[in-house]
Amino acid sequence: MNLLPTLVALTATGLLAGNGLAMTRAEVQAESHRIAVEYNEAQKACEPLHGHEELVCQREAKARQKIAKAELLARRKPTAQNQLGARMAHVNADYDVAKGKCAVMTGGDKKACRKEARATYLEARAKARSAPPAAN
């Protein structure tokens, strides 16, 4: 499993969450609308796919939506708890997508894939929880 996207996202979340600038109601509504539109577009992009590919596509779309919502909350209310929530959203989303990719496998390959996904998840979760909160 590749941790680079997760680590980059964790860093970006920390920087964005710690900027100390309050978001206006209009900015929050606009960002919420953008998240919903992007999710709907991602879901539509999954429609032509079938079977396992469609399942993975839908999981990736849902993961991006959860991450965006958690990051929005961390920017809107930059508390340590919300920043942790944003970091954990990345970790949980990566794990959910990895499990979806393992689902199509069978036998020993599936077991090895799930074991690797779980190990990667546990490592990323520990890093996310131990990361210091961004300064406000």
Side-chain angles (χ1 to χ4, degrees):
M1 301 290 148
N2 189 354
L3 286 179
L4 183 60
T6 300
L7 295 177
V8 169
L10 290 174
T11 303
T13 300
L15 293 175
L16 291 173
N19 67 10
L21 301 176
M23 294 180 74
T24 66
R25 177 182 289 255
E27 290 172 331
V28 171
Q29 288 176 339
E31 187 69 10
S32 294
H33 179 71
R34 183 193 63 79
I35 292 168
V37 167
E38 284 183 2
Y39 175 70
N40 289 335
E41 288 174 356
Q43 286 290 82
K44 286 179 184 172
C46 297
E47 288 176 3
L49 303 175
H50 299 287
H52 178 68
E53 290 177 349
E54 181 180 18
L55 172 70
V56 171
C57 181
Q58 289 172 347
R59 282 185 180 213
E60 288 173 344
K62 190 67 173 172
R64 284 191 300 269
Q65 179 192 40
K66 287 180 181 180
I67 290 169
K69 285 182 176 183
E71 288 177 345
L72 175 60
L73 180 61
R75 286 195 318 258
R76 193 179 74 194
K77 296 179 184 175
T79 65
Q81 181 178 358
N82 290 341
Q83 292 173 16
L84 174 62
R87 291 191 304 267
M88 290 305 297
H90 283 278
V91 171
N92 291 332
D94 287 347
Y95 184 49
D96 189 44
V97 171
K99 287 189 302 184
K101 290 179 180 178
C102 295
V104 73
M105 299 177 181
T106 58
D109 289 342
K110 182 175 186 175
K111 188 174 180 179
C113 180
R114 290 184 67 94
K115 186 175 182 178
E116 181 182 347
R118 178 82 176 155
T120 302
Y121 164 73
L122 293 174
E123 179 183 342
R125 184 179 71 173
K127 285 181 183 179
R129 288 182 175 173
S130 66
N136 290 335

